[in-house]
Amino acid sequence: MRGAVRYRDLPLGGSLAATLTKGEDGSTLVVSAEPLQPYATRLTDRFLHWAEAAPERTLVAKRVNGGDWRKVSYAQALHAARSIAEWLLAHEVSVERPLVILSDNDIEHLLLALGAMLAGVPYAPVSPAYSLVSQDHGKLKHILALLTPGLVFASGPAYAKAIAAAVPAATPVVLAEGTLEGRAVVPFAELLATRPTAAVDAAHAKVGPDTIAKFLFTSGSTKLPKAVVNTQRMLCANQQMIRQCFPALQQEPPVLVDWLPWNHTFGGNHNIGITLYNGGTLYIDEGKPTPALIGETLRNLREIAPTIYFNVPKGFEEIANALEVDAVLRKTFFSRVKMLFFSGAGLSQPVWDKLDAVAEMECGERIRMLTGLGMTETSPFAICANAWEVKSGHIGLPAPGLELKLVPMGDKQEVRYRGPNVTPGYWRAPEQTAESFDAEGFYCSGDAAKPMDPADPGRGFMFDGRIAEDFKLNTGTFVSVGPLRAKIIAAGDPLVQDVVIAGINRSEIGVLFFPRLDACRAFVELPGNAPAHIVLGEPKLRAFFQRLVDVLHSTGSGSSTRVARALVLAEPPSIDKGEITDKGSINQRAVLTHRDVDVVRMYVGRDRDVIVPRAPSPQPSPASGRGSQ
């Protein structure tokens, strides 16, 4: 493949080769052939370096009320961060009473994070969904009770209901703007007006590799969110791993246009870290890969050309569709981008092929699409697919400095991690921490991997689903949920948002479909406010799902992959019931628990809503609905 097509020049390294050692217990130890080079002691060391070396360079920018960009330079950010650090120290915010941030990605959020790290104070960015979407604020209450914060920051009065419900009256609240009825607040401007003293430098001098930089919360896909300890060592080692896998980061300061949320490790550690560590610039994108917000992302990409671009698969799908028809977007986007990178789920090969095609059309060469596997507990960068040939499903080989252990678990191999980027554990949760590490100190991820080529495992690995989601039918047949879910979602695109696989202790597989209602409305040409039950009752849509189930049944290779019945759900997954995480990830177990009536109806009932296969039919094609999304 390397000689068949032309790619834009991109030096690669770090995870291109590895040594594999077989253990007596059947496990396999995989280590990068390239050692990890020295890295900074503190992430703020790199921030201070760039503030001196390139003080006028823009660190972060965000549009003001959808208008022009507000830009903050490295020098301005340092001045603000030192003032914030002084205020935090004076108000006794500490590791036992950390800073909690309730905010989307914004400039004040980043300045607070930098100020906290200069002061040696941990901070915890909390998902806005726990405040703005949740109705009972249960997860927010749990998080605040666990952390016992000394200060809560919120970006504005939109968080008033959540603050009233979950933040103790004695806990100080800082607002970026506005006021809260019945509660005293500190304006963010007061922090910025604080005059820094030598106390800031003294506090920063005490910050070391084991100092806790932040707490990031797991999505709570199986239980309540856990506070993952993120140390300075983890963040800095991880950035050095990324640098060695992508040497281009050292050749020019990266420019990012990015929406990925900072309360998650991909956006908040990986991408902010890349910016700070390499003296880059981050343009905060207020768009998202949804019909309502993708337009803002496209607007930003028409104006700002990234040098590297990160997104989730759905985002790349939307961008690929727009690139086909938007010449201005193509010209700007491909003008200097050297690398595309996705994470969070599998990227379908058709989307991948479309991106290759539009790149060749615009600039006569492809842009490398790379990916990997990691998690909040690994900072997140761990396994990277950055070889010359990367395809959908590849995760590659471990980054320098990381030890990867593959442990047999039934007919799968669990991925386990050990290295300087791996968390020491969960905050104030010693039992959960102990349960998560094996006897050799490897973090047990619950993810599974398999060789791309069983005859040559040194080529790298593929993602093989989540072990905890898999189950057996009552025949003893093992069902691998991850690959089956991916297959069904791809086959149902764009009308299927997600699926849950049922069949535990039953003789055959059933599927609960969560439809993408906006796409379904467009497909059947109904208005955007049409109720779900009306949309799902449309004959054209019912025919689509019938054909989809027919195809899934006829293409199954056995009872472990053959869909035998299905039900399309009108009620979306609930974040308060734990059916969906704030990242949009479905919790199989919670859905099956809370929708047990639907599961029984699917297996026992024969009403018109239960879909059972008919004779094999052609692959469903909802093309008439795609263009109007």
Side-chain angles (χ1 to χ4, degrees):
M1 181 176 176
R2 183 176 178 181
V5 295
R6 178 184 173 191
Y7 283 92
R8 182 163 291 177
D9 182 55
L10 178 70
L12 300 172
S15 58
L16 297 174
T19 59
L20 286 78
T21 306
K22 200 73 174 177
E24 294 182 359
D25 59 354
S27 64
T28 304
L29 182 66
V30 190
V31 180
S32 173
E34 181 178 319
L36 183 63
Q37 300 300 315
Y39 49 88
T41 300
R42 304 162 293 198
L43 190 59
T44 40
D45 291 341
R46 300 296 296 166
F47 171 48
L48 295 172
H49 165 79
W50 291 112
E52 180 177 353
E56 301 308 313
R57 182 181 300 160
T58 298
L59 165 61
V60 63
K62 184 180 180 182
R63 293 189 188 275
V64 178
N65 298 322
D68 292 335
W69 293 97
R70 172 193 169 196
K71 299 180 179 180
V72 176
S73 71
Y74 275 85
Q76 290 169 329
L78 177 57
H79 178 79
R82 284 178 55 79
S83 294
I84 292 168
E86 180 72 29
W87 194 95
L88 294 175
L89 291 170
H91 289 77
E92 299 182 345
V93 182
S94 66
V95 66
E96 300 296 332
R97 302 178 66 248
L99 164 66
V100 167
I101 298 177
L102 307 181
S103 171
D104 280 312
N105 301 359
D106 59 35
I107 290 174
E108 289 75 20
H109 184 150
L110 180 59
L111 296 178
L112 274 166
L114 293 170
M117 285 194 286
L118 286 178
V121 173
Y123 69 99
V126 176
S127 170
Y130 296 161
S131 297
L132 306 179
V133 177
S134 173
Q135 297 302 304
D136 64 8
H137 303 109
K139 290 186 177 180
L140 178 62
K141 292 175 183 176
H142 161 75
I143 288 169
L144 296 179
L146 176 65
L147 293 181
T148 60
L151 176 69
V152 172
F153 168 85
S155 57
Y159 290 85
K161 183 179 177 182
I163 291 171
V167 179
T171 303
V173 174
V174 172
L175 284 189
E177 59 182 14
T179 60
L180 297 178
E181 185 177 352
R183 182 162 189 155
V185 298
V186 179
F188 184 68
E190 178 179 316
L191 278 65
L192 296 180
T194 303
R195 184 174 180 177
T197 69
V200 174
D201 298 319
H204 190 241
K206 296 178 182 177
V207 175
D210 295 317
T211 300
I212 300 174
K214 65 199 297 188
F215 300 109
L216 281 179
F217 281 84
T218 61
S219 297
S221 58
T222 56
K223 300 177 181 178
L224 286 170
K226 301 187 292 289
V228 180
V229 173
N230 283 241
T231 65
Q232 291 288 345
R233 176 184 285 107
M234 288 170 60
L235 301 181
C236 294
N238 208 229
Q239 286 303 315
Q240 183 59 34
M241 292 173 176
I242 295 170
R243 263 190 150 204
Q244 289 181 228
C245 289
F246 308 125
L249 291 170
Q250 303 177 55
Q251 297 177 350
E252 66 173 329
V255 175
L256 278 64
V257 181
D258 194 56
W259 68 269
L260 292 160
W262 294 349
N263 57 284
H264 291 306
T265 188
F266 191 4
N269 279 1
H270 191 278
N271 294 356
I272 286 183
I274 282 176
T275 304
L276 288 170
Y277 209 84
N278 300 284
T281 299
L282 190 152
Y283 287 86
I284 297 173
D285 174 17
E286 293 183 270
K288 284 183 175 61
T290 65
L293 295 174
I294 189 63
E296 180 64 16
T297 291
L298 300 177
R299 173 196 180 195
N300 292 331
L301 290 174
R302 289 187 197 101
E303 185 175 330
I304 308 297
T307 59
I308 52 178
Y309 188 69
F310 301 96
N311 214 323
V312 296
K314 181 58 181 174
F316 276 114
E317 178 184 345
E318 298 286 355
I319 289 168
N321 292 336
L323 286 168
E324 278 192 311
V325 298
D326 190 329
V328 174
L329 178 65
R330 281 198 307 273
K331 181 177 180 180
T332 304
F333 186 74
F334 289 116
S335 62
R336 60 178 179 178
V337 67
K338 291 183 172 63
M339 180 182 90
L340 308 177
F341 190 101
F342 73 90
S343 186
L347 181 68
S348 70
Q349 200 61 49
V351 172
W352 203 311
D353 294 341
K354 185 180 292 187
L355 287 165
D356 284 342
V358 293
E360 289 180 325
M361 176 175 64
E362 177 63 29
C363 51
E365 57 189 1
R366 296 180 182 182
I367 311 302
R368 293 200 175 279
M369 175 67 78
L370 305 175
T371 186
L373 182 68
M375 57 198 312
T376 307
E377 288 85 351
T378 62
S379 308
F381 196 76
I383 310 174
C384 181
N386 66 332
W388 292 106
E389 183 176 0
V390 178
K391 295 182 179 179
S392 185
H394 290 187
I395 56 174
L397 290 166
L402 180 78
E403 295 177 281
L404 171 68
K405 185 167 65 169
L406 299 173
V407 179
M409 301 283 285
D411 62 351
K412 292 200 173 190
Q413 296 183 90
E414 184 186 23
V415 176
R416 299 185 181 182
Y417 302 105
R418 187 170 68 184
N421 62 314
V422 177
T423 182
Y426 302 109
W427 183 243
R428 294 174 174 168
E431 291 184 2
Q432 289 176 313
T433 296
E435 292 169 356
S436 300
F437 291 84
D438 68 16
E440 295 181 294
F442 282 84
Y443 180 81
C444 306
S445 72
D447 289 329
K450 61 183 178 181
M452 290 162 43
D453 179 359
D456 184 11
R459 288 186 58 200
F461 297 91
M462 300 182 68
F463 184 65
D464 197 24
R466 290 281 298 169
I467 291 172
E469 293 180 342
D470 297 342
F471 62 88
K472 288 183 179 181
L473 299 172
N474 62 11
T475 59
T477 302
F478 194 77
V479 177
S480 183
V481 170
L484 182 58
R485 281 186 63 247
K487 173 187 174 181
I488 296 172
I489 293 170
D493 184 68
L495 305 188
V496 173
Q497 176 177 308
D498 218 321
V499 299
V500 168
I501 311 299
I504 299 173
N505 297 324
R506 297 182 182 273
S507 61
E508 56 189 15
I509 287 173
V511 172
L512 298 176
F513 287 107
F514 285 107
R516 185 173 285 121
L517 283 174
D518 57 322
C520 291
R521 291 185 181 102
F523 180 58
V524 297
E525 300 178 348
L526 285 177
N529 61 352
H533 71 278
I534 298 295
V535 178
L536 299 182
E538 282 290 308
K540 183 180 179 183
L541 189 62
R542 290 178 60 84
F544 167 81
F545 279 103
Q546 181 67 63
R547 292 195 303 272
L548 176 57
V549 171
D550 293 342
V551 168
L552 294 171
H553 181 266
S554 64
T555 57
S557 58
S559 61
S560 66
T561 59
R562 185 180 296 126
V563 174
R565 55 190 61 245
L567 190 64
V568 184
L569 301 176
E571 182 185 348
S574 165
I575 192 170
D576 286 332
K577 293 179 180 178
E579 294 180 332
I580 191 169
T581 71
D582 63 317
K583 290 190 293 186
S585 301
I586 285 291
N587 178 345
Q588 279 262 138
R589 192 176 306 168
V591 171
L592 293 174
T593 298
H594 293 293
R595 313 279 178 134
D596 59 327
V597 172
D598 291 318
V599 173
V600 171
R601 182 160 66 102
M602 179 172 61
Y603 278 98
V604 177
R606 297 295 298 175
D607 60 54
R608 67 188 298 268
D609 293 329
V610 177
I611 307 170
V612 294
R614 304 175 306 187
S617 301
Q619 180 78 16
S621 178
S624 60
R626 181 183 290 274
S628 57
Q629 290 186 68

